[in-house]
């Protein structure tokens, strides 16, 4: 039986897509998601609704590319609004520093040094805030899990596709002040 929704069977116990994601987020990340939701709800959706209405008024919808495109775009925006509304209700904003700022917890900027002496600075953020360009990693990522609770000069071993990688924690901070 072939179909577009047919996929390879995966064992639910071993499928990484089935793992529960944390619902933690920084205040800046929450504000950003809230801003996206507001923009889509108050600006984008009304614009697309107007365009769909104007295109529908032109007549035959079956051959009206403008109508078809804008209708699909409107449905995509509505789905995104619905997702964001649900997600914003689930999220837990972490707006306080941990009691022990000498250890790695959610929201920390952590500088690591590998075996070759190369430095890597990452920030532990929520699933919705990950950004590879800024080196912001999800708190659910293997590296982040290995870092949680570590202190300065602790060794960290992370299982990677190319084998185990070893790091040493060289700096922990919870502010962005001296970052490049």
């Amino acid at each position: 039986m072939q179909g577009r929704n047919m996929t390879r069977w995966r064992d639910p116990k071993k499928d990484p897509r089935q793992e529960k994601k944390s619902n933690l987020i920084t205040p800046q990340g929450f504000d950003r998601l809230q801003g996206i939701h507001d923009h889509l709800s108050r600006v984008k959706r009304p614009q697309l609704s107007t365009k769909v209405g104007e295109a529908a008024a032109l007549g035959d919808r079956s051959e009206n590319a403008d109508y078809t495109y804008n209708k699909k775009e409107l449905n995509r925006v509505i789905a995104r609004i619905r997702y964001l509304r649900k997600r914003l209700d689930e999220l837990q904003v972490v707006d306080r520093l941990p009691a022990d700022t000498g250890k790695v917890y959610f929201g920390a900027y952590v500088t690591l040094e590998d075996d070759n002496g190369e430095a890597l600075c990452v920030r532990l953020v929520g699933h919705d805030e990950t950004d590879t360009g800024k080196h912001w990693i999800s708190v659910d990522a293997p590296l982040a899990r290995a870092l949680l609770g570590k202190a300065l000069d602790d060794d960290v071993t992370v299982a990677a596709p190319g084998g185990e990688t070893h790091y040493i924690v060289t700096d922990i901070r919870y502010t962005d002040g001296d970052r490049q």
Side-chain angles (χ1 to χ4, degrees), residues 68-122:
T68 304
Y69 172 78
N70 287 317
K71 185 69 174 176
K72 284 182 181 178
E73 188 68 15
L74 177 63
N75 287 336
R76 190 187 66 76
V77 167
I78 290 171
R80 181 75 175 153
I81 290 169
R82 193 175 303 132
Y83 168 78
L84 286 172
R85 187 177 306 132
K86 181 180 175 193
R87 188 70 181 142
L88 287 168
D89 289 341
E90 295 172 347
L91 291 172
Q92 177 184 354
V93 178
V94 178
D95 55 356
R96 294 186 310 249
L97 291 176
D100 184 5
T101 57
K103 291 191 176 185
V104 178
Y105 295 108
F106 181 83
Y109 291 92
V110 183
T111 305
L112 306 168
E113 187 176 305
D114 64 7
D115 294 335
N116 299 329
E118 294 181 26
L120 170 67
C121 185
V122 296

Side-chain angles (χ1 to χ4, degrees), residues 1-8:
M1 188 166 140
Q2 295 287 330
R4 71 175 208 187
N5 294 325
M6 298 296 294
T7 60
R8 179 173 61 96

Side-chain angles (χ1 to χ4, degrees), residues 115-178:
D115 294 335
N116 299 329
E118 294 181 26
L120 170 67
C121 185
V122 296
R123 183 178 187 200
L124 279 59
V125 294
H127 175 70
D128 301 290
E129 302 176 86
T130 58
D131 185 346
T132 55
K134 295 180 179 179
H135 296 285
W136 289 10
I137 61 171
S138 171
V139 72
D140 299 317
L143 175 59
R145 286 185 192 155
L147 286 172
L148 287 174
K150 299 291 184 185
L152 282 178
D153 297 327
D154 281 355
D155 290 327
V156 179
T157 302
V158 181
E164 287 189 343
T165 308
H166 302 280
Y167 295 103
I168 296 175
V169 178
T170 59
D171 186 32
I172 302 169
R173 62 187 183 284
Y174 287 89
T175 59
D176 194 17
D178 56 340

Side-chain angles (χ1 to χ4, degrees), residues 3-62:
R4 71 175 208 187
N5 294 325
M6 298 296 294
T7 60
R8 179 173 61 96
W9 184 84
R10 297 174 192 259
D11 185 2
K13 295 175 185 168
K14 297 179 183 175
D15 188 2
R17 297 175 300 171
Q18 302 299 324
E19 291 179 7
K20 184 77 172 141
K21 301 291 183 197
S22 63
N23 288 328
L24 302 176
I25 193 166
T26 62
Q28 300 83 11
F30 187 83
D31 291 344
R32 187 176 119 313
L33 285 182
Q34 185 70 47
I36 292 170
H37 177 267
D38 290 344
H39 174 74
L40 292 175
S41 299
R42 297 174 192 215
V43 178
K44 193 77 170 173
R45 184 177 178 180
Q47 286 176 349
L48 287 171
S49 294
T50 303
K51 286 182 181 180
V52 168
E54 290 170 356
L58 296 176
D60 187 10
R61 295 179 189 171
S62 64

